[in-house]
Amino acid sequence: MKRTFKILKILGPIIGILALALGILLFVTFSGWLPIADGQRLDGVEVVKDGFVSLSIIDIDDRSVALVDAGNDRQAKPIIRALTRRGLGVDAVKAILLTHGDRDHTAGVLAFPRAEVMALEPDVALAEGRVVRGIFRWFGSPKPNGIKVARALHDGETVILGNLPVRVFAVPGHTQGSAAFLARSVLFMGDSAEATKEGKLAPGRRLFTDNPAQNRASLRQLATRLLPAASEVKAIACAHSGVLSNGLAPLTDFAAGDK
């Protein structure tokens, strides 16, 4: 008993220090970001908040939509509520464009059985649950989730949904198959970037990013690629923070300062 007490006396402060360090790390990771505005409407785009993550509904036409990501709720209740307010059902979702394959972006996919699921080719296995990445390996082994990616996307292509063009950009770093999409003048960044309360753009959260240096390089490269078409970008939407509504400037400003 005395030996056990001595061990606990030694371990107690160590555990306390580790818990404090973890708390500080989580505070730094999750503070300072622009809050997600649930229901925010842009031109043909609606932001839907699903707990700590957001996704977007993009209008294809009056009766059909696409999703950028599918949220963290397996029953997709936040998305279905947003659709219901418009008088639409789950069959109105014709496509789901995944910015990457993490579960908090794919959980609601199966609630939309008629939607064509698309992801960049390097993240197809991740989206389908056949691999586990990064720190998430600590919490479980691969387990197929029933999601089937119908179309593997590639950098630089344009997806046509009805009459709506969606441009596809590879932005590896957060995951190897992270994608950005440009549609209806909104640049959808997924977890590859964050919006700060000061209206600036920051790289994806380091704690959850596979390759932070590659993430930053991808953002710089994306800024260069989009600069000739800067007038086409009216807003930048990030998955875990709010929407920046001052065009491409936050991305180009980041790229200019990240030398």
Side-chain angles (χ1 to χ4, degrees):
M1 179 65 73
K2 288 183 178 180
R3 184 175 181 180
T4 300
F5 179 77
K6 288 181 179 179
I7 292 173
L8 291 175
K9 195 173 181 179
I10 295 170
L11 289 179
I14 296 174
I15 293 172
I17 292 170
L18 290 175
L20 178 61
L22 179 61
I24 293 171
L25 179 60
L26 291 174
F27 175 79
V28 171
T29 298
F30 290 99
S31 65
W33 308 118
L34 185 67
I36 299 167
D38 186 37
Q40 181 178 0
R41 292 300 302 264
L42 305 168
D43 185 12
V45 174
E46 179 178 357
V47 176
V48 178
K49 187 174 186 292
D50 184 358
F52 59 87
V53 70
S54 70
L55 57 113
S56 294
I57 300 174
I58 307 176
D59 295 344
I60 296 175
D61 54 42
D62 291 342
R63 303 301 301 173
S64 61
V65 300
L67 303 180
V68 176
D69 292 332
N72 191 50
D73 183 354
R74 292 186 64 182
Q75 296 179 313
K77 291 189 291 291
I79 306 171
I80 292 172
R81 283 196 297 267
L83 293 173
T84 300
R85 288 194 293 266
R86 302 185 185 199
L88 300 177
V90 297
D91 289 347
V93 178
K94 304 302 182 186
I96 300 175
L97 300 155
L98 297 175
T99 58
H100 61 293
D102 284 346
R103 185 200 172 281
D104 57 327
H105 297 258
T106 65
V109 165
L110 296 180
F112 306 98
R114 294 185 179 274
E116 184 180 15
V117 183
M118 308 181 198
L120 272 185
E121 190 168 32
D123 260 29
V124 169
L126 180 62
E128 295 180 345
R130 294 185 284 111
V131 298
V132 181
R133 73 170 185 92
I135 65 170
F136 301 103
R137 293 192 183 97
W138 303 346
F139 304 105
S141 56
K143 183 179 179 181
N145 52 26
I147 294 171
K148 297 299 180 186
V149 176
R151 179 171 174 179
L153 301 175
H154 300 89
D155 180 45
E157 72 174 291
T158 298
V159 175
I160 304 297
L161 304 174
N163 293 318
L164 175 68
V166 180
R167 295 178 63 188
V168 180
F169 301 92
V171 284
H174 178 71
T175 65
Q176 283 306 298
S178 287
F181 301 109
L182 177 59
R184 292 200 175 278
S185 299
V186 179
L187 182 61
F188 301 95
M189 294 299 304
D191 287 6
S192 294
E194 298 288 356
T196 74
K197 291 179 179 178
E198 293 76 29
K200 297 180 180 180
L201 195 77
R205 304 181 195 209
R206 190 178 186 90
L207 180 62
F208 302 107
T209 294
D210 285 349
N211 189 328
Q214 187 182 36
N215 181 195
R216 301 179 79 96
S218 291
L219 295 181
R220 295 194 301 269
Q221 292 164 8
L222 182 62
T224 299
R225 294 175 68 181
L226 285 172
L227 194 57
S231 61
E232 296 179 25
V233 181
K234 305 299 183 186
I236 299 175
C238 305
H240 290 281
S241 50
V243 175
L244 297 172
S245 299
N246 52 334
L248 190 64
L251 179 59
T252 55
D253 288 348
F254 167 79
D258 191 55
K259 301 297 185 181

